Amino acid sequence: MASYELLKSFVFEYGTPRVVLIRSRKVGLINRTVQLLILAYVIGWVFLREKGYQETDSVVSSVTTKVKGVTLTNTSALGIRIWDVADYVIPPQEENTVFVMTNVIVTPNQTQGYCPELPDDKTECTENISCVPGYVSTHSSGIQTGKCVPYNSSISTCQVFAWCPVEDDHQIPKPAFLREAENFTILVKNNIWYPKFNFSKRNILPTINSTYLKNCIYDSHTDPFCPIFRLGKIVEAAGQNFQEMAVEGGVMALQINWNCDLDRAASHCVPRYSFRRLDNKDSAHTVSPGYNFRFAKYYKDSSGTESRTLFKAYGIRFDIIVFGKAGKFDIIPTMITIGSGTALFGVATVLCDIVVLYCMKKKYYYREKKYKYVEDCELGANETYGTNS
Ligand SMILES: *[C@@H]1O[C@H](CO)[C@@H](O)[C@H](O)[C@H]1NC(C)=O
Ligand SMILES: *[C@@H]1O[C@H](CO)[C@@H](O)[C@H](O)[C@H]1NC(C)=O
Ligand SMILES: *[C@@H]1O[C@H](CO)[C@@H](O)[C@H](O)[C@H]1NC(C)=O
Ligand SMILES: *[C@@H]1O[C@H](CO)[C@@H](O)[C@H](O)[C@H]1NC(C)=O
Ligand SMILES: *[C@@H]1O[C@H](CO)[C@@H](O)[C@H](O)[C@H]1NC(C)=O
Ligand SMILES: *[C@@H]1O[C@H](CO)[C@@H](O)[C@H](O)[C@H]1NC(C)=O
């Protein structure tokens, strides 16, 4: 019997919420205003601005670079010398980055042997007793032998077993040794792909012909799609001074932005270039500024001794950073956006309820109308549901 009553109420009854309609200009206006604001937000911001109807994908890309330019130096140490790409781009090829040497300290004809260490407050000496055989520190060029030998006519330093003569890098050449690097150019070839949409493109646009490509130099106003950049211009566009940066080196970013709306024609999907300096040049970072590293070229001299030419290279590393997002209409994100937008209308109800039930003068009257109050009392025998059997 009890189960029959339960079944009856479950199957043959339908409950629908009762709605309280408040005839009030104030509350009605608040409700409509909030709804209008939400509608404006959903259509204006979520749909049109943020393109909530689109499926999005991130870019996949590959980059190749080619630097061009030659320059001539004329110094007492090296004589007249030509520097071409094979000399100043180190290593010859790298992934998404290219290093251009702008300044260098060359120490030619180094061989393993005994020679005086560079003078500083630890290595300067007057007699053998101040030099410790076998001593080596992080700043040493070699291992001390325990002798004190003349460095030049006025001072003596501890002797070391090292690649001799030791490199003297106290004086960085200024202006930079390869200051003409300002006029070198870099060709950046970038292929991108949006896998979700099977959309691919490259930064040498179809409208660019080979005559144009041979002569153009990127300029944000006149040639914004030319993929050939003058190094000086890259550094300038980032608000830096090339000649200053060339002395101690640095790191630059060449950013390629491929944000595309693929609902429009493919020709509207174009790269946008921007530049920034990545290493910090602030006064807070003046300790060990710039970017440098050492490398050596080894050879055997006429007597068969192993010798090397040591280079301490200062230069600018250009990191090519590709980023971007593409969007295209898709039914699933559209439905999700519509669903969440509709759900937002619930906010209007919540807000109006707060106003009506807590803020208005007639709040007690409205509360009485809205809620049906039920007291918690002991159930009498005749009120007990389904136990009359
Ligand atoms: C190199 O410099 C020397 C002296 O500084 C000068 O006599 C010579 O003409 C220069 N050579 C070139 C090719 O500039
Ligand atoms: C280096 O060695 C070569 C041959 O041994 C010599 O001709 C040249 O002058 C040396 N250079 C320096 C800077 O010592
Ligand atoms: C010897 O070397 C020291 C340190 O590099 C330098 O200050 C000094 O002027 C040099 N003396 C001569 C005579 O070259
Ligand atoms: C770079 O080229 C321009 C024009 O061709 C020239 O005026 C400038 O002096 C060159 N820069 C350097 C550092 O030689
Ligand atoms: C991707 O696009 C290329 C041409 O743009 C086409 O040849 C290829 O079949 C497409 N692949 C897929 C999976 O649609
Ligand atoms: C190449 O393009 C330039 C402008 O972008 C145009 O002036 C020139 O005539 C074109 N040359 C050829 C051979 O199509």
Side-chain angles (χ1 to χ4, degrees):
M1 192 61 194
S3 50
Y4 172 70
E5 290 287 341
L6 266 176
L7 185 76
K8 212 169 82 178
S9 72
F10 183 69
V11 178
F12 299 120
E13 285 173 14
Y14 166 68
T16 178
R18 192 162 79 165
V19 173
V20 178
L21 196 68
I22 296 175
R23 291 217 171 103
S24 153
R25 280 188 185 191
K26 212 177 186 177
V27 181
L29 270 176
I30 291 175
N31 183 36
R32 291 292 172 224
T33 313
V34 173
Q35 281 180 344
L36 208 70
L37 285 177
I38 290 169
L39 194 72
Y41 165 74
V42 170
I43 291 179
W45 185 267
V46 179
F47 258 86
L48 299 182
R49 175 72 218 275
E50 293 295 310
K51 303 209 162 58
Y53 56 87
Q54 285 186 336
E55 179 79 276
T56 59
D57 193 13
S58 318
V59 73
V60 176
S61 108
S62 86
V63 171
T64 58
T65 57
K66 189 185 272 179
V67 181
K68 283 201 170 157
V70 283
T71 183
L72 180 122
T73 59
N74 182 7
T75 56
S76 53
L78 294 170
I80 294 168
R81 210 187 140 134
I82 280 285
W83 296 81
D84 69 5
V85 183
D87 295 319
Y88 60 72
V89 173
I90 311 156
Q93 67 137 356
E94 263 184 294
E95 196 185 347
N96 294 352
T97 170
V98 56
F99 174 84
V100 176
M101 185 165 82
T102 53
N103 205 358
V104 64
I105 295 172
V106 186
T107 315
N109 290 4
Q110 277 190 325
T111 52
Q112 299 221 340
Y114 300 92
C115 51
E117 175 68 288
L118 284 183
D120 67 26
D121 48 356
K122 285 245 177 66
T123 60
E124 267 179 47
C125 60
T126 46
E127 49 198 5
N128 288 349
I129 198 96
S130 30
C131 297
V132 185
Y135 174 81
V136 62
S137 86
T138 45
H139 301 292
S140 300
S141 313
I143 296 173
Q144 290 193 3
T145 58
K147 277 190 199 151
C148 188
V149 293
Y151 175 75
N152 59 20
S153 54
S154 59
I155 56 172
S156 293
T157 60
C158 292
Q159 192 188 47
V160 283
F161 178 59
W163 283 97
C164 291
V166 296
E167 177 194 77
D168 180 2
D169 61 354
H170 283 141
Q171 283 272 309
I172 303 173
K174 208 170 183 182
F177 197 62
L178 298 175
R179 57 184 163 279
E180 318 248 321
E182 185 178 60
N183 283 340
F184 295 171
T185 59
I186 177 170
L187 165 67
V188 176
K189 288 200 244 177
N190 176 212
N191 286 282
I192 60 120
W193 183 40
Y194 284 109
K196 226 183 239 175
F197 311 123
N198 191 23
F199 176 87
S200 56
K201 195 153 185 177
R202 59 181 202 150
N203 69 330
I204 301 174
L205 301 177
T207 50
I208 293 178
N209 61 33
S210 53
T211 28
Y212 174 75
L213 192 62
K214 244 175 219 152
N215 302 307
C216 74
I217 293 285
Y218 172 86
D219 184 289
S220 57
H221 298 297
T222 57
D223 298 279
F225 300 120
C226 176
I228 300 172
F229 303 85
R230 208 176 129 251
L231 300 192
K233 235 178 197 166
I234 294 179
V235 175
E236 257 166 46
Q240 308 285 326
N241 180 323
F242 186 89
Q243 292 307 338
E244 228 168 71
M245 196 173 175
V247 173
E248 291 198 272
V251 185
M252 294 287 312
L254 197 167
Q255 297 162 316
I256 310 180
N257 181 348
W258 280 99
N259 278 347
C260 288
D261 180 357
L262 296 183
D263 290 329
R264 305 173 73 198
S267 58
H268 282 107
C269 185
V270 290
R272 266 174 285 274
Y273 302 100
S274 57
F275 315 93
R276 61 185 294 123
R277 184 168 181 172
L278 291 180
D279 65 323
N280 245 317
K281 214 198 100 200
D282 314 340
S283 52
H285 298 87
T286 47
V287 181
S288 182
Y291 179 45
N292 68 73
F293 57 88
R294 289 186 179 81
F295 65 97
K297 289 182 176 156
Y298 296 84
Y299 58 92
K300 285 226 162 78
D301 68 7
S302 47
S303 64
T305 353
E306 190 187 12
S307 308
R308 72 175 192 186
T309 305
L310 178 67
F311 296 83
K312 182 175 184 184
Y314 297 83
I316 304 175
R317 202 181 75 198
F318 295 90
D319 291 354
I320 293 129
I321 299 168
V322 182
F323 60 96
K325 248 193 188 149
K328 196 173 192 175
F329 171 79
D330 193 86
I331 194 71
I332 293 170
T334 309
M335 291 322 258
I336 291 172
T337 309
I338 290 175
S340 55
T342 316
L344 267 184
F345 280 95
V347 172
T349 315
V350 171
L351 217 76
C352 292
D353 271 6
I354 291 172
V355 170
V356 167
L357 301 173
Y358 297 100
C359 306
M360 290 187 68
K361 253 190 240 143
K362 286 191 277 182
K363 57 190 171 195
Y364 296 109
Y365 173 71
Y366 286 136
R367 268 192 227 177
E368 210 158 279
K369 287 291 178 196
K370 180 168 164 70
Y371 299 118
K372 184 172 161 58
Y373 292 93
V374 177
E375 298 304 326
D376 178 20
C377 57
E378 290 295 311
L379 290 173
N382 50 352
E383 286 166 295
T384 316
Y385 185 68
T387 54
N388 50 353
S389 56

